[in-house]
Structure formats: C-alpha cells, structure tokens
Amino acid sequence: MTSNEQNKIELQTFEEHLDVLRKMLFRICCLSFILALGVFFLKDYVFTLLLAPCSPNFITFDIVNKALEILGANDKIYDNSLELIATDLPSQFLAHISMSLYVGVLLASPYIIYEMFRFISPALYTNERKYSTKIILAAYSLFVFGFTTSYFLLFPISYRFLATYSVSKCVRTMVTLDSYISTFISLTMLMGVVSQLPVLSFILSKMGILDASTMEKYRKHAFIIILIMAAIITPPDVMTLFLVSFPLYILYEISILVIKISENR
C-alpha cells in the first residue's frame, strides 16, 4: 500500500467510510434489481432450466440411462415426468418473483465480489492484495462448482427420490411449486457455501490456526462431521446424504493439499 493510499484512509472519517459503503450497496442493489427485472421477462427460459430435473430427458438422467444401456441393463431410471402443483392463488406469481431475484443476484455475483474487494483493498498491503485476489477467484470458482454440482447431480437425484418414494399405493405424493423452489434454492446455495472449505482452510493456515498434519490426523473425525453437516443441509434421505458427503470429503482432501502447497512455499 502506497503512502498516498495510507493518507487517504487516515483522512477519511467514520461517516465517510459509511458513505462509501452505502454507495457500494446502492450500486449492488441497483445492478441486482436490473438483472432480476431482465430475468423476470425471460420467464420461459428461466423456468425451463429450473424445471428441467422434472423431465426424464434431463441430461443427468440421459447419461445414467446410456451408461446402463452400455452395461446391458434394459430398465431406465426416472423414465416418467413429474408434475408440480400450485395450491395458493398467488404462489406461481410469487415463485416467479423469488426466482427472478435469486437469479439476478447470482448473475450480479461477480460484480458484487468486485465491489467488495474494491471496498477493502485500500486497507491491504501489496502482498495481501495478491493473496486476496487469488482467494476471491478461488472462492467464486468453488461456489460455481458447488452450485453446478447441486443442479446437475444432487438436486435432481434427491428430488426424484423424495418425489417418487411411497410408503403405500394409497398415498400419492403431490409436490407443490413452493416446496420445489425452496428446496432448489436452499440446496444450491448451501452447496455453494460449503464448497468454500479449501478457501477457509487456506485462510486458517495463513493465520497459524490450522496445518496439514492436523487435518490428516483428524481425517476420521472430519468424515463424521461432514456426514453430520450433510444430514443438516440436505433433504432427509440417505441417498442425498451420501451424494453430498462425497464431494465435501473430496474438498477436505483438496484442502489438505492446498495447505501443503502453501506451507512448502
């Protein structure tokens, strides 16, 4: 950090810092709203993507069915379409609004990260900025990884399992649109957040709180904790539990590798 930047920070009062923060939040909210408004008018495209796991032709199911065909299996998985219902009069309109806001924030997320980094960067030294840029890029990449993993793998399989599970032929499952969307948003967001494990581990290692040998020593304990975390953040079925636990444990091993590389530098 240069002397001019230090002087600029020292000259700013608390109210001036709040004013900078307010303007930053205003720009973020404006962009998110504009993008959400654009998404709102692209209803057909957005809900085609959102409701794709309801179709038996969803890409994940196609891949699995082709693999089963190669292995000589005659049966296909998830070969029927699932229908959703709306029980309240405004539920479809509210679902449209909520998904528009959600997608708008997702589309604005690179700009949000840029604004946040721009806000804190004047207070960082040159070497801290270098690490911060890498951390931000890694965190965003891992969030995208978690989101896409949930969309293409975890959510469609868990949703299909829960929607088709039946304790008796007398009981018919009817999934509401609200339930579908809330499950989709919570699972994709949570997977995006918990995918930050390597970044968090790297930060803790730089702070001297965590090291690779400790993580290797408590591998078994970490696996149990991952299972508990997966049970909390996922719908209540065993299949989804293990589908979430597996990538989380892979991220744990990646965290160990990341810390080892940082320690050797």
Side-chain angles (χ1 to χ4, degrees), residues 63-80:
I63 293 172
V64 174
N65 286 328
K66 287 179 181 177
L68 291 173
E69 186 179 345
I70 292 172
L71 294 174
N74 295 323
D75 296 332
K76 293 184 177 181
I77 65 165
Y78 309 133
D79 56 352
N80 62 315

Side-chain angles (χ1 to χ4, degrees), residues 24 41 72 92 96 109 120 125 127 130 160 163 196 230 255:
M24 181 193 75
F41 291 106
Q92 294 196 56
H96 187 189
S109 57
I120 64 171
Y125 292 100
N127 62 330
K130 180 183 69 174
R160 280 277 177 167
Q196 305 304 312
S255 300

Side-chain angles (χ1 to χ4, degrees), residues 56-194:
N57 297 321
F58 187 58
I59 183 171
T60 303
F61 306 144
D62 276 344
I63 293 172
V64 174
N65 286 328
K66 287 179 181 177
L68 291 173
E69 186 179 345
I70 292 172
L71 294 174
N74 295 323
D75 296 332
K76 293 184 177 181
I77 65 165
Y78 309 133
D79 56 352
N80 62 315
S81 296
L82 296 178
E83 294 184 356
L84 303 176
I85 62 170
T87 56
D88 298 323
L89 188 61
S91 60
Q92 294 196 56
F93 179 69
L94 293 176
H96 187 189
I97 292 176
S98 63
M99 279 309 301
S100 298
L101 292 173
Y102 179 65
V103 176
V105 172
L106 283 179
L107 293 176
S109 57
Y111 178 76
I112 294 172
I113 293 173
Y114 165 75
E115 281 286 359
M116 293 176 65
F117 178 72
R118 187 178 160 197
F119 179 72
I120 64 171
S121 61
L124 301 176
Y125 292 100
T126 305
N127 62 330
E128 291 175 334
R129 287 186 192 177
K130 180 183 69 174
Y131 279 119
S132 298
T133 304
K134 292 180 179 179
I135 288 173
I136 290 171
L137 290 174
Y140 186 73
S141 300
L142 287 170
F143 179 83
V144 173
F145 166 78
F147 181 90
T148 53
T149 300
S150 177
Y151 177 77
F152 287 105
L153 183 63
L154 304 180
F155 176 74
I157 293 178
S158 63
Y159 166 71
R160 280 277 177 167
F161 175 79
L162 293 174
T164 57
Y165 184 82
S166 176
V167 294
S168 172
K169 293 182 179 179
C170 300
V171 182
R172 182 181 175 187
T173 303
M174 301 181 71
V175 183
T176 64
L177 179 62
D178 294 338
S179 175
Y180 180 92
I181 290 179
S182 64
T183 304
F184 176 84
I185 292 177
S186 60
L187 190 57
T188 51
M189 284 297 292
L190 284 169
M191 277 304 298
V193 171
V194 297

